[in-house]
Amino acid sequence: MRSAWFLAVGLATQWAAGTLGAAEVRVAVGLFLPPYVIADEWRGMEYDIVRRALELEGHTIVPQPTYLARVAKDLEHGAVDAAMPVQVRAGAKEFYSEPHIQYQNFAITLRSSNLELRKIGDLAGRSVVAFQEASRYLGPEFEAMAKANPNYREEAKQVVQPILLFHGRTEVVVADRFIFNWFASSPEVRQKVDVTQPLRFHPLFPPTDYRVAFRDEALRDAFNRGLKRLRDSGEYQRIMDNYDRTLTAALPK
């Protein structure tokens, strides 16, 4: 009995120190977020960063695809070991990593619409299509606008956003620039609409930090160590730059 107790303590100590052998980590991954997460190929600027940070600490990511709105819930219900991307929630029982990625959302309009958007309040009464859970992620002022605006809607599949905007079926799209440009450059969208129409990106929102949430504190600590090693080595920036160059080359000329 004593030997079993010492073995358990030893294993726990190794886990906390990051010296235990490789472990599979089930991660709930939000879908429809390319180029951050390209789920049909299991790669992307955010996915590669999380995967490599875990690998550097001896762990293997096992992605569990889900809708963005279910990411935190799957972790809370114990279906996975970690979830991405998330923001810190007050009173949550999960353990949050250091910020591993920043999203930069814009209010995107056709230049031909001549809309002047300088603050979130300017969206009131406009037809607005945002990403799923935007009213929760983008702050109380945006949430209040969304609730009061009968022309506001959210789309889980962000490929719909550029189609609606370029077709003139919505005045404003709220999206991260990388995600919007990814879908705008896709064959599915380019076959349906004229994506060469000039756009305006209105900077109404500050950059948003996202984290990985873990059920286990020691695993969170291991991820943070791997993330720091990734940044210090320069590999983090190389991952970001590679996707940035690829996307820029694919954009409509």
Side-chain angles (χ1 to χ4, degrees), residues 43-54:
R43 65 182 184 91
M45 61 171 65
E46 179 178 8
Y47 185 83
D48 289 358
I49 286 166
V50 173
R51 176 182 58 81
R52 284 293 294 140
L54 287 169

Side-chain angles (χ1 to χ4, degrees), residues 106-123:
F106 291 84
I108 307 169
T109 64
L110 294 178
R111 191 175 298 171
S112 60
S113 69
N114 294 315
L115 285 181
E116 292 293 337
L117 304 176
R118 296 187 174 86
K119 58 185 185 301
I120 291 174
D122 292 338
L123 298 174

